[in-house]
Amino acid sequence: MMKRKINCESARAFPIEKALANLGHFPQKTAEKEAWFLSPFRSETQASFKVSKTMNRWYDHGEGIGGNVIDLVCRILKCSVKEALAYLNQDWPSFSFQQQQPFNSNDNGLAITKIQNIKHPALIQYLNLRRIPLQIANSYCSEVWYTFKDKQFFAIGLQNSKNGWELRNRIFKNSSSPKSYTHLQRNSKHLIILEGMFDLLSLAVMNGSLIKDLDVIVLNSIAFIENVETHISNYEIVDLYLDNDSAGQNATLYLTKKYSHVNDQSDAYKNHKDLNDFLCHERKG
């Protein structure tokens, strides 16, 4: 099948407001012909970044610069024009993640080819959508490139305790073998149990000292509750931050009934599916 490539001309027609929204920036005020944003280039309290809806151009009054959507993406993501076109291509079939298919994680055909700091624009954009700063993501995760059935893929990866990887990008979530939980040990008597990679990153955004100072287990699958249960007696306090779905609630109920030193912390994000859903909702503006 022929892939449709986006060129500079069609990319320039990509709405700047939509590009900013995809990168986690939303207008402070909006009118029929223009919208005003807090500058994506620096911290400010007064919106000085103007987007003309009619011309699809932006102008940053604070720095006295402006341009089209390609210039904007290059500047925000610190990437080349070619990478900016790939980013803007997300709504076309040939985006970087195009046709990435979920695979059987037990299949030995998966081979990790490169592990590095997260820097691909598509992954940075995905982190921005999930409200995770790049610096925090790079503290716990990596950019993982791998091959499967002669095709190359890339994702945000969290390594587990058996050196397998949890793999996430905007299109799918999967893992490499062997699958296991992730145990971050700080010699603390206080343990936090989280369900997934983005729960870890979200709590690091919301309360970084908890993640830095306490021991943390990321289940990577609710099925690993039984496997991590052996660790619970080694701690004086265990706090659970599991999903507000039936599986997460059942696991929470099971552990809090069985152990007096296990606490349910899901009240902190009640009315939300999980920690990341809560974080995204809190930081919408």
Side-chain angles (χ1 to χ4, degrees):
M1 187 180 81
M2 287 287 290
K3 288 184 179 178
R4 262 170 76 202
K5 292 286 181 190
I6 185 172
N7 56 33
C8 285
E9 190 181 346
S10 56
R12 276 195 290 269
F14 193 102
I16 288 176
E17 270 196 292
K18 186 175 179 185
L20 284 166
N22 286 343
L23 289 161
H25 300 283
F26 300 92
Q28 296 292 296
K29 53 184 177 180
T30 185
E32 188 185 346
K33 294 183 178 179
E34 63 188 40
W36 289 85
F37 293 75
L38 296 174
S39 175
F41 308 135
R42 64 185 174 277
S43 178
E44 65 178 14
T45 53
Q46 292 284 319
S48 68
F49 188 93
K50 177 185 171 183
V51 173
S52 165
K53 297 182 183 182
T54 49
M55 295 170 64
N56 200 37
R57 303 274 294 184
W58 59 274
Y59 187 78
D60 186 346
H61 286 268
E63 289 191 34
I65 55 168
N68 60 38
V69 69
I70 301 171
D71 305 322
L72 180 64
V73 171
C74 287
R75 194 171 168 87
I76 292 178
L77 293 182
K78 298 180 175 63
C79 66
S80 66
V81 170
K82 186 180 176 184
E83 288 172 320
L85 291 177
Y87 162 74
L88 290 166
N89 208 13
Q90 65 184 290
D91 282 355
W92 280 263
S94 56
F95 184 49
S96 307
F97 291 147
Q98 191 254 347
Q99 292 187 341
Q100 290 205 7
Q101 296 297 326
F103 50 83
N104 183 341
S105 59
N106 294 319
D107 192 309
N108 292 327
L110 173 71
I112 306 289
T113 56
K114 184 167 63 173
I115 298 162
Q116 62 185 24
N117 276 347
I118 302 164
K119 53 190 178 184
H120 195 287
L123 297 180
I124 293 170
Q125 177 230 353
Y126 178 49
L127 288 168
N128 284 330
L129 285 174
R130 304 292 291 261
R131 304 293 193 272
I132 306 295
L134 180 60
Q135 186 181 357
I136 286 178
N138 270 323
S139 299
Y140 302 97
C141 299
S142 301
E143 179 175 312
V144 180
W145 288 72
Y146 53 96
T147 56
F148 182 70
K149 292 186 177 174
D150 299 323
K151 289 183 181 175
Q152 186 167 254
F153 303 93
F154 59 91
I156 297 164
L158 175 69
Q159 195 165 28
N160 66 40
S161 298
K162 292 184 178 176
N163 296 324
W165 288 89
E166 292 302 309
L167 302 164
R168 302 283 182 274
N169 64 34
R170 195 174 173 184
I171 304 302
F172 74 87
K173 55 183 184 178
N174 228 303
S175 55
S176 72
S177 298
K179 192 164 171 67
S180 185
Y181 56 88
T182 301
H183 197 177
L184 308 177
Q185 292 170 284
R186 328 273 196 218
N187 294 318
S188 171
K189 283 292 181 183
H190 190 161
L191 173 69
I192 289 173
I193 299 180
L194 301 158
E195 201 159 322
M197 177 195 304
F198 277 95
D199 297 314
L200 170 69
L201 297 176
S202 299
L203 197 56
V205 173
M206 290 152 57
N207 194 334
S209 59
L210 277 185
I211 298 293
K212 282 177 190 158
D213 300 336
L214 309 185
D215 280 22
V216 179
I217 286 178
V218 184
L219 293 171
N220 295 323
S221 166
I222 198 72
F224 284 112
I225 276 287
E226 291 177 18
N227 302 67
V228 304
E229 205 180 327
T230 54
H231 295 289
I232 286 176
S233 57
N234 299 330
Y235 293 91
E236 292 169 8
I237 304 169
V238 178
D239 288 332
L240 303 178
Y241 292 83
L242 304 185
D243 288 4
N244 282 321
D245 58 14
S246 58
Q249 288 167 343
N250 287 340
T252 298
L253 194 62
Y254 166 71
L255 292 175
T256 51
K257 276 191 166 182
K258 190 169 178 180
Y259 302 94
S260 59
H261 66 301
V262 173
N263 310 300
D264 174 17
Q265 299 292 352
S266 64
D267 255 12
Y269 48 97
K270 64 181 177 185
N271 305 322
H272 295 276
K273 178 182 165 286
D274 54 27
L275 278 166
N276 187 248
D277 186 45
F278 174 75
L279 176 68
C280 290
H281 183 265
E282 288 294 294
R283 307 211 169 187
K284 229 177 220 174

PDB file of all heavy atoms in Angstrom, residues 187-223:
ATOM      1  N   ASN A 187      15.858   1.069  50.028  1.00  0.00           N
ATOM      2  CA  ASN A 187      16.094   0.687  51.436  1.00  0.00           C
ATOM      3  C   ASN A 187      15.130   1.369  52.395  1.00  0.00           C
ATOM      4  O   ASN A 187      15.496   1.736  53.507  1.00  0.00           O
ATOM      5  CB  ASN A 187      17.546   0.993  51.855  1.00  0.00           C
ATOM      6  CG  ASN A 187      18.527   0.117  51.105  1.00  0.00           C
ATOM      7  OD1 ASN A 187      18.283  -1.076  50.932  1.00  0.00           O
ATOM      8  ND2 ASN A 187      19.630   0.694  50.655  1.00  0.00           N
ATOM      9  N   SER A 188      13.901   1.533  51.925  1.00  0.00           N
ATOM     10  CA  SER A 188      12.862   2.145  52.750  1.00  0.00           C
ATOM     11  C   SER A 188      11.972   1.052  53.335  1.00  0.00           C
ATOM     12  O   SER A 188      11.882  -0.045  52.801  1.00  0.00           O
ATOM     13  CB  SER A 188      12.015   3.090  51.889  1.00  0.00           C
ATOM     14  OG  SER A 188      10.891   3.535  52.600  1.00  0.00           O
ATOM     15  N   LYS A 189      11.343   1.370  54.475  1.00  0.00           N
ATOM     16  CA  LYS A 189      10.373   0.435  55.068  1.00  0.00           C
ATOM     17  C   LYS A 189       8.943   0.779  54.629  1.00  0.00           C
ATOM     18  O   LYS A 189       7.969   0.229  55.125  1.00  0.00           O
ATOM     19  CB  LYS A 189      10.476   0.473  56.605  1.00  0.00           C
ATOM     20  CG  LYS A 189      11.692  -0.291  57.131  1.00  0.00           C
ATOM     21  CD  LYS A 189      11.524  -1.787  56.874  1.00  0.00           C
ATOM     22  CE  LYS A 189      12.674  -2.614  57.387  1.00  0.00           C
ATOM     23  NZ  LYS A 189      12.511  -4.046  57.050  1.00  0.00           N
ATOM     24  N   HIS A 190       8.857   1.715  53.709  1.00  0.00           N
ATOM     25  CA  HIS A 190       7.570   2.194  53.194  1.00  0.00           C
ATOM     26  C   HIS A 190       7.514   1.855  51.700  1.00  0.00           C
ATOM     27  O   HIS A 190       8.385   2.259  50.937  1.00  0.00           O
ATOM     28  CB  HIS A 190       7.479   3.699  53.429  1.00  0.00           C
ATOM     29  CG  HIS A 190       6.120   4.285  53.174  1.00  0.00           C
ATOM     30  ND1 HIS A 190       5.730   5.511  53.681  1.00  0.00           N
ATOM     31  CD2 HIS A 190       5.043   3.827  52.472  1.00  0.00           C
ATOM     32  CE1 HIS A 190       4.495   5.783  53.285  1.00  0.00           C
ATOM     33  NE2 HIS A 190       4.062   4.775  52.549  1.00  0.00           N
ATOM     34  N   LEU A 191       6.506   1.105  51.300  1.00  0.00           N
ATOM     35  CA  LEU A 191       6.373   0.657  49.905  1.00  0.00           C
ATOM     36  C   LEU A 191       5.144   1.265  49.243  1.00  0.00           C
ATOM     37  O   LEU A 191       4.071   1.339  49.854  1.00  0.00           O
ATOM     38  CB  LEU A 191       6.260  -0.877  49.855  1.00  0.00           C
ATOM     39  CG  LEU A 191       5.951  -1.511  48.488  1.00  0.00           C
ATOM     40  CD1 LEU A 191       7.136  -1.368  47.535  1.00  0.00           C
ATOM     41  CD2 LEU A 191       5.575  -2.991  48.647  1.00  0.00           C
ATOM     42  N   ILE A 192       5.313   1.683  47.997  1.00  0.00           N
ATOM     43  CA  ILE A 192       4.186   2.131  47.169  1.00  0.00           C
ATOM     44  C   ILE A 192       3.979   1.087  46.076  1.00  0.00           C
ATOM     45  O   ILE A 192       4.939   0.675  45.419  1.00  0.00           O
ATOM     46  CB  ILE A 192       4.486   3.499  46.537  1.00  0.00           C
ATOM     47  CG1 ILE A 192       4.461   4.597  47.603  1.00  0.00           C
ATOM     48  CG2 ILE A 192       3.496   3.837  45.427  1.00  0.00           C
ATOM     49  CD1 ILE A 192       4.912   5.938  47.093  1.00  0.00           C
ATOM     50  N   ILE A 193       2.738   0.662  45.876  1.00  0.00           N
ATOM     51  CA  ILE A 193       2.430  -0.267  44.781  1.00  0.00           C
ATOM     52  C   ILE A 193       1.548   0.455  43.764  1.00  0.00           C
ATOM     53  O   ILE A 193       0.479   0.977  44.103  1.00  0.00           O
ATOM     54  CB  ILE A 193       1.730  -1.550  45.286  1.00  0.00           C
ATOM     55  CG1 ILE A 193       2.642  -2.302  46.266  1.00  0.00           C
ATOM     56  CG2 ILE A 193       1.366  -2.460  44.104  1.00  0.00           C
ATOM     57  CD1 ILE A 193       2.041  -3.587  46.826  1.00  0.00           C
ATOM     58  N   LEU A 194       2.022   0.501  42.531  1.00  0.00           N
ATOM     59  CA  LEU A 194       1.324   1.157  41.420  1.00  0.00           C
ATOM     60  C   LEU A 194       1.013   0.118  40.355  1.00  0.00           C
ATOM     61  O   LEU A 194       1.620  -0.947  40.315  1.00  0.00           O
ATOM     62  CB  LEU A 194       2.221   2.240  40.818  1.00  0.00           C
ATOM     63  CG  LEU A 194       2.677   3.349  41.767  1.00  0.00           C
ATOM     64  CD1 LEU A 194       3.935   4.016  41.260  1.00  0.00           C
ATOM     65  CD2 LEU A 194       1.579   4.375  41.939  1.00  0.00           C
ATOM     66  N   GLU A 195       0.076   0.465  39.466  1.00  0.00           N
ATOM     67  CA  GLU A 195      -0.338  -0.532  38.476  1.00  0.00           C
ATOM     68  C   GLU A 195       0.481  -0.485  37.195  1.00  0.00           C
ATOM     69  O   GLU A 195       0.850  -1.517  36.651  1.00  0.00           O
ATOM     70  CB  GLU A 195      -1.827  -0.364  38.165  1.00  0.00           C
ATOM     71  CG  GLU A 195      -2.426  -1.608  37.572  1.00  0.00           C
ATOM     72  CD  GLU A 195      -3.940  -1.665  37.711  1.00  0.00           C
ATOM     73  OE1 GLU A 195      -4.495  -1.244  38.755  1.00  0.00           O
ATOM     74  OE2 GLU A 195      -4.571  -2.136  36.770  1.00  0.00           O
ATOM     75  N   GLY A 196       0.790   0.724  36.701  1.00  0.00           N
ATOM     76  CA  GLY A 196       1.450   0.806  35.402  1.00  0.00           C
ATOM     77  C   GLY A 196       2.475   1.923  35.314  1.00  0.00           C
ATOM     78  O   GLY A 196       2.626   2.747  36.226  1.00  0.00           O
ATOM     79  N   MET A 197       3.165   1.945  34.183  1.00  0.00           N
ATOM     80  CA  MET A 197       4.217   2.916  33.908  1.00  0.00           C
ATOM     81  C   MET A 197       3.754   4.359  34.094  1.00  0.00           C
ATOM     82  O   MET A 197       4.444   5.176  34.711  1.00  0.00           O
ATOM     83  CB  MET A 197       4.688   2.704  32.461  1.00  0.00           C
ATOM     84  CG  MET A 197       5.735   3.662  31.971  1.00  0.00           C
ATOM     85  SD  MET A 197       5.899   3.622  30.152  1.00  0.00           S
ATOM     86  CE  MET A 197       6.227   1.908  29.835  1.00  0.00           C
ATOM     87  N   PHE A 198       2.576   4.687  33.575  1.00  0.00           N
ATOM     88  CA  PHE A 198       2.120   6.068  33.653  1.00  0.00           C
ATOM     89  C   PHE A 198       1.602   6.443  35.035  1.00  0.00           C
ATOM     90  O   PHE A 198       1.532   7.628  35.370  1.00  0.00           O
ATOM     91  CB  PHE A 198       1.102   6.378  32.545  1.00  0.00           C
ATOM     92  CG  PHE A 198       1.771   6.719  31.247  1.00  0.00           C
ATOM     93  CD1 PHE A 198       1.986   5.749  30.281  1.00  0.00           C
ATOM     94  CD2 PHE A 198       2.256   7.999  31.011  1.00  0.00           C
ATOM     95  CE1 PHE A 198       2.644   6.053  29.097  1.00  0.00           C
ATOM     96  CE2 PHE A 198       2.907   8.326  29.832  1.00  0.00           C
ATOM     97  CZ  PHE A 198       3.105   7.348  28.870  1.00  0.00           C
ATOM     98  N   ASP A 199       1.267   5.450  35.861  1.00  0.00           N
ATOM     99  CA  ASP A 199       0.960   5.737  37.267  1.00  0.00           C
ATOM    100  C   ASP A 199       2.241   6.166  37.974  1.00  0.00           C
ATOM    101  O   ASP A 199       2.244   7.120  38.757  1.00  0.00           O
ATOM    102  CB  ASP A 199       0.377   4.491  37.955  1.00  0.00           C
ATOM    103  CG  ASP A 199      -0.947   4.071  37.342  1.00  0.00           C
ATOM    104  OD1 ASP A 199      -1.798   4.951  37.124  1.00  0.00           O
ATOM    105  OD2 ASP A 199      -1.133   2.870  37.080  1.00  0.00           O
ATOM    106  N   LEU A 200       3.347   5.461  37.682  1.00  0.00           N
ATOM    107  CA  LEU A 200       4.650   5.815  38.249  1.00  0.00           C
ATOM    108  C   LEU A 200       5.042   7.234  37.850  1.00  0.00           C
ATOM    109  O   LEU A 200       5.403   8.065  38.703  1.00  0.00           O
ATOM    110  CB  LEU A 200       5.709   4.819  37.750  1.00  0.00           C
ATOM    111  CG  LEU A 200       7.174   5.166  38.033  1.00  0.00           C
ATOM    112  CD1 LEU A 200       7.477   5.073  39.519  1.00  0.00           C
ATOM    113  CD2 LEU A 200       8.106   4.256  37.238  1.00  0.00           C
ATOM    114  N   LEU A 201       4.966   7.535  36.551  1.00  0.00           N
ATOM    115  CA  LEU A 201       5.369   8.851  36.061  1.00  0.00           C
ATOM    116  C   LEU A 201       4.447   9.947  36.592  1.00  0.00           C
ATOM    117  O   LEU A 201       4.904  11.047  36.922  1.00  0.00           O
ATOM    118  CB  LEU A 201       5.392   8.853  34.533  1.00  0.00           C
ATOM    119  CG  LEU A 201       6.405   7.898  33.881  1.00  0.00           C
ATOM    120  CD1 LEU A 201       6.260   7.921  32.360  1.00  0.00           C
ATOM    121  CD2 LEU A 201       7.830   8.240  34.290  1.00  0.00           C
ATOM    122  N   SER A 202       3.152   9.649  36.705  1.00  0.00           N
ATOM    123  CA  SER A 202       2.195  10.643  37.204  1.00  0.00           C
ATOM    124  C   SER A 202       2.456  10.969  38.662  1.00  0.00           C
ATOM    125  O   SER A 202       2.431  12.140  39.066  1.00  0.00           O
ATOM    126  CB  SER A 202       0.760  10.131  37.026  1.00  0.00           C
ATOM    127  OG  SER A 202       0.475   9.920  35.665  1.00  0.00           O
ATOM    128  N   LEU A 203       2.711   9.948  39.474  1.00  0.00           N
ATOM    129  CA  LEU A 203       2.998  10.197  40.889  1.00  0.00           C
ATOM    130  C   LEU A 203       4.324  10.943  41.037  1.00  0.00           C
ATOM    131  O   LEU A 203       4.470  11.781  41.933  1.00  0.00           O
ATOM    132  CB  LEU A 203       3.031   8.875  41.669  1.00  0.00           C
ATOM    133  CG  LEU A 203       2.919   9.005  43.197  1.00  0.00           C
ATOM    134  CD1 LEU A 203       1.668   9.772  43.608  1.00  0.00           C
ATOM    135  CD2 LEU A 203       2.939   7.633  43.870  1.00  0.00           C
ATOM    136  N   ALA A 204       5.269  10.684  40.141  1.00  0.00           N
ATOM    137  CA  ALA A 204       6.542  11.417  40.157  1.00  0.00           C
ATOM    138  C   ALA A 204       6.316  12.904  39.858  1.00  0.00           C
ATOM    139  O   ALA A 204       7.023  13.764  40.390  1.00  0.00           O
ATOM    140  CB  ALA A 204       7.514  10.817  39.153  1.00  0.00           C
ATOM    141  N   VAL A 205       5.315  13.204  39.011  1.00  0.00           N
ATOM    142  CA  VAL A 205       4.962  14.605  38.730  1.00  0.00           C
ATOM    143  C   VAL A 205       4.260  15.227  39.936  1.00  0.00           C
ATOM    144  O   VAL A 205       4.577  16.340  40.355  1.00  0.00           O
ATOM    145  CB  VAL A 205       4.036  14.702  37.493  1.00  0.00           C
ATOM    146  CG1 VAL A 205       3.526  16.134  37.304  1.00  0.00           C
ATOM    147  CG2 VAL A 205       4.760  14.235  36.234  1.00  0.00           C
ATOM    148  N   MET A 206       3.324  14.475  40.526  1.00  0.00           N
ATOM    149  CA  MET A 206       2.482  15.012  41.598  1.00  0.00           C
ATOM    150  C   MET A 206       3.194  15.068  42.948  1.00  0.00           C
ATOM    151  O   MET A 206       2.955  15.970  43.750  1.00  0.00           O
ATOM    152  CB  MET A 206       1.208  14.172  41.708  1.00  0.00           C
ATOM    153  CG  MET A 206       0.272  14.353  40.526  1.00  0.00           C
ATOM    154  SD  MET A 206      -0.792  12.918  40.168  1.00  0.00           S
ATOM    155  CE  MET A 206      -1.638  12.662  41.686  1.00  0.00           C
ATOM    156  N   ASN A 207       4.055  14.093  43.202  1.00  0.00           N
ATOM    157  CA  ASN A 207       4.760  14.041  44.487  1.00  0.00           C
ATOM    158  C   ASN A 207       6.103  13.327  44.294  1.00  0.00           C
ATOM    159  O   ASN A 207       6.257  12.154  44.640  1.00  0.00           O
ATOM    160  CB  ASN A 207       3.906  13.319  45.529  1.00  0.00           C
ATOM    161  CG  ASN A 207       4.418  13.532  46.943  1.00  0.00           C
ATOM    162  OD1 ASN A 207       5.591  13.791  47.155  1.00  0.00           O
ATOM    163  ND2 ASN A 207       3.530  13.414  47.920  1.00  0.00           N
ATOM    164  N   GLY A 208       7.042  14.048  43.731  1.00  0.00           N
ATOM    165  CA  GLY A 208       8.329  13.461  43.358  1.00  0.00           C
ATOM    166  C   GLY A 208       9.088  12.835  44.509  1.00  0.00           C
ATOM    167  O   GLY A 208       9.753  11.811  44.348  1.00  0.00           O
ATOM    168  N   SER A 209       8.993  13.432  45.723  1.00  0.00           N
ATOM    169  CA  SER A 209       9.757  12.919  46.859  1.00  0.00           C
ATOM    170  C   SER A 209       9.299  11.521  47.264  1.00  0.00           C
ATOM    171  O   SER A 209      10.103  10.701  47.706  1.00  0.00           O
ATOM    172  CB  SER A 209       9.666  13.872  48.054  1.00  0.00           C
ATOM    173  OG  SER A 209       8.317  14.038  48.441  1.00  0.00           O
ATOM    174  N   LEU A 210       8.009  11.236  47.107  1.00  0.00           N
ATOM    175  CA  LEU A 210       7.510   9.887  47.411  1.00  0.00           C
ATOM    176  C   LEU A 210       8.236   8.844  46.562  1.00  0.00           C
ATOM    177  O   LEU A 210       8.718   7.831  47.072  1.00  0.00           O
ATOM    178  CB  LEU A 210       6.008   9.779  47.103  1.00  0.00           C
ATOM    179  CG  LEU A 210       4.986  10.259  48.131  1.00  0.00           C
ATOM    180  CD1 LEU A 210       3.590   9.927  47.655  1.00  0.00           C
ATOM    181  CD2 LEU A 210       5.241   9.652  49.492  1.00  0.00           C
ATOM    182  N   ILE A 211       8.313   9.102  45.263  1.00  0.00           N
ATOM    183  CA  ILE A 211       8.917   8.145  44.333  1.00  0.00           C
ATOM    184  C   ILE A 211      10.425   8.054  44.547  1.00  0.00           C
ATOM    185  O   ILE A 211      11.025   6.991  44.412  1.00  0.00           O
ATOM    186  CB  ILE A 211       8.604   8.554  42.872  1.00  0.00           C
ATOM    187  CG1 ILE A 211       7.089   8.526  42.629  1.00  0.00           C
ATOM    188  CG2 ILE A 211       9.308   7.646  41.880  1.00  0.00           C
ATOM    189  CD1 ILE A 211       6.452   7.164  42.677  1.00  0.00           C
ATOM    190  N   LYS A 212      11.054   9.177  44.916  1.00  0.00           N
ATOM    191  CA  LYS A 212      12.512   9.185  45.093  1.00  0.00           C
ATOM    192  C   LYS A 212      12.937   8.501  46.387  1.00  0.00           C
ATOM    193  O   LYS A 212      13.992   7.870  46.445  1.00  0.00           O
ATOM    194  CB  LYS A 212      13.034  10.629  45.082  1.00  0.00           C
ATOM    195  CG  LYS A 212      13.138  11.233  43.695  1.00  0.00           C
ATOM    196  CD  LYS A 212      13.598  12.679  43.776  1.00  0.00           C
ATOM    197  CE  LYS A 212      13.474  13.365  42.428  1.00  0.00           C
ATOM    198  NZ  LYS A 212      13.400  14.811  42.542  1.00  0.00           N
ATOM    199  N   ASP A 213      12.134   8.657  47.451  1.00  0.00           N
ATOM    200  CA  ASP A 213      12.568   8.223  48.782  1.00  0.00           C
ATOM    201  C   ASP A 213      12.050   6.844  49.192  1.00  0.00           C
ATOM    202  O   ASP A 213      12.683   6.155  49.986  1.00  0.00           O
ATOM    203  CB  ASP A 213      12.138   9.248  49.841  1.00  0.00           C
ATOM    204  CG  ASP A 213      12.735  10.627  49.587  1.00  0.00           C
ATOM    205  OD1 ASP A 213      13.788  10.685  48.919  1.00  0.00           O
ATOM    206  OD2 ASP A 213      12.149  11.622  50.029  1.00  0.00           O
ATOM    207  N   LEU A 214      10.874   6.466  48.685  1.00  0.00           N
ATOM    208  CA  LEU A 214      10.260   5.213  49.124  1.00  0.00           C
ATOM    209  C   LEU A 214      10.517   4.090  48.127  1.00  0.00           C
ATOM    210  O   LEU A 214      10.877   4.329  46.982  1.00  0.00           O
ATOM    211  CB  LEU A 214       8.742   5.406  49.302  1.00  0.00           C
ATOM    212  CG  LEU A 214       8.296   6.600  50.161  1.00  0.00           C
ATOM    213  CD1 LEU A 214       6.789   6.591  50.342  1.00  0.00           C
ATOM    214  CD2 LEU A 214       8.993   6.599  51.521  1.00  0.00           C
ATOM    215  N   ASP A 215      10.355   2.864  48.584  1.00  0.00           N
ATOM    216  CA  ASP A 215      10.415   1.730  47.665  1.00  0.00           C
ATOM    217  C   ASP A 215       9.148   1.717  46.813  1.00  0.00           C
ATOM    218  O   ASP A 215       8.067   2.074  47.301  1.00  0.00           O
ATOM    219  CB  ASP A 215      10.522   0.413  48.442  1.00  0.00           C
ATOM    220  CG  ASP A 215      11.950   0.144  48.910  1.00  0.00           C
ATOM    221  OD1 ASP A 215      12.729   1.108  49.006  1.00  0.00           O
ATOM    222  OD2 ASP A 215      12.270  -1.024  49.179  1.00  0.00           O
ATOM    223  N   VAL A 216       9.281   1.325  45.569  1.00  0.00           N
ATOM    224  CA  VAL A 216       8.137   1.341  44.639  1.00  0.00           C
ATOM    225  C   VAL A 216       8.075   0.020  43.871  1.00  0.00           C
ATOM    226  O   VAL A 216       9.099  -0.474  43.403  1.00  0.00           O
ATOM    227  CB  VAL A 216       8.256   2.503  43.614  1.00  0.00           C
ATOM    228  CG1 VAL A 216       7.074   2.493  42.645  1.00  0.00           C
ATOM    229  CG2 VAL A 216       8.347   3.845  44.329  1.00  0.00           C
ATOM    230  N   ILE A 217       6.872  -0.523  43.768  1.00  0.00           N
ATOM    231  CA  ILE A 217       6.636  -1.651  42.864  1.00  0.00           C
ATOM    232  C   ILE A 217       5.607  -1.211  41.828  1.00  0.00           C
ATOM    233  O   ILE A 217       4.532  -0.724  42.183  1.00  0.00           O
ATOM    234  CB  ILE A 217       6.130  -2.905  43.607  1.00  0.00           C
ATOM    235  CG1 ILE A 217       7.283  -3.559  44.392  1.00  0.00           C
ATOM    236  CG2 ILE A 217       5.542  -3.924  42.627  1.00  0.00           C
ATOM    237  CD1 ILE A 217       6.878  -4.778  45.195  1.00  0.00           C
ATOM    238  N   VAL A 218       5.976  -1.342  40.554  1.00  0.00           N
ATOM    239  CA  VAL A 218       5.027  -1.137  39.458  1.00  0.00           C
ATOM    240  C   VAL A 218       4.637  -2.526  38.972  1.00  0.00           C
ATOM    241  O   VAL A 218       5.479  -3.285  38.500  1.00  0.00           O
ATOM    242  CB  VAL A 218       5.651  -0.317  38.303  1.00  0.00           C
ATOM    243  CG1 VAL A 218       4.597  -0.044  37.225  1.00  0.00           C
ATOM    244  CG2 VAL A 218       6.236   0.994  38.825  1.00  0.00           C
ATOM    245  N   LEU A 219       3.359  -2.863  39.093  1.00  0.00           N
ATOM    246  CA  LEU A 219       2.912  -4.227  38.775  1.00  0.00           C
ATOM    247  C   LEU A 219       3.114  -4.581  37.298  1.00  0.00           C
ATOM    248  O   LEU A 219       3.419  -5.721  36.960  1.00  0.00           O
ATOM    249  CB  LEU A 219       1.429  -4.382  39.131  1.00  0.00           C
ATOM    250  CG  LEU A 219       1.083  -4.315  40.625  1.00  0.00           C
ATOM    251  CD1 LEU A 219      -0.430  -4.270  40.802  1.00  0.00           C
ATOM    252  CD2 LEU A 219       1.685  -5.484  41.382  1.00  0.00           C
ATOM    253  N   ASN A 220       2.911  -3.608  36.414  1.00  0.00           N
ATOM    254  CA  ASN A 220       2.943  -3.807  34.954  1.00  0.00           C
ATOM    255  C   ASN A 220       1.803  -4.693  34.465  1.00  0.00           C
ATOM    256  O   ASN A 220       1.581  -4.819  33.266  1.00  0.00           O
ATOM    257  CB  ASN A 220       4.296  -4.366  34.483  1.00  0.00           C
ATOM    258  CG  ASN A 220       5.432  -3.387  34.728  1.00  0.00           C
ATOM    259  OD1 ASN A 220       5.257  -2.186  34.588  1.00  0.00           O
ATOM    260  ND2 ASN A 220       6.590  -3.894  35.121  1.00  0.00           N
ATOM    261  N   SER A 221       1.100  -5.312  35.373  1.00  0.00           N
ATOM    262  CA  SER A 221      -0.132  -6.058  35.103  1.00  0.00           C
ATOM    263  C   SER A 221      -0.730  -6.400  36.453  1.00  0.00           C
ATOM    264  O   SER A 221      -0.009  -6.818  37.372  1.00  0.00           O
ATOM    265  CB  SER A 221       0.150  -7.339  34.323  1.00  0.00           C
ATOM    266  OG  SER A 221      -1.001  -8.177  34.354  1.00  0.00           O
ATOM    267  N   ILE A 222      -2.032  -6.218  36.589  1.00  0.00           N
ATOM    268  CA  ILE A 222      -2.694  -6.511  37.864  1.00  0.00           C
ATOM    269  C   ILE A 222      -2.509  -7.987  38.239  1.00  0.00           C
ATOM    270  O   ILE A 222      -2.571  -8.372  39.404  1.00  0.00           O
ATOM    271  CB  ILE A 222      -4.201  -6.120  37.807  1.00  0.00           C
ATOM    272  CG1 ILE A 222      -4.786  -5.995  39.210  1.00  0.00           C
ATOM    273  CG2 ILE A 222      -4.991  -7.055  36.930  1.00  0.00           C
ATOM    274  CD1 ILE A 222      -4.334  -4.778  39.976  1.00  0.00           C
ATOM    275  N   ALA A 223      -2.208  -8.813  37.247  1.00  0.00           N
ATOM    276  CA  ALA A 223      -2.006 -10.248  37.483  1.00  0.00           C
ATOM    277  C   ALA A 223      -0.805 -10.526  38.386  1.00  0.00           C
ATOM    278  O   ALA A 223      -0.712 -11.598  38.990  1.00  0.00           O
ATOM    279  CB  ALA A 223      -1.824 -10.969  36.151  1.00  0.00           C
TER     280      ALA A 223
END
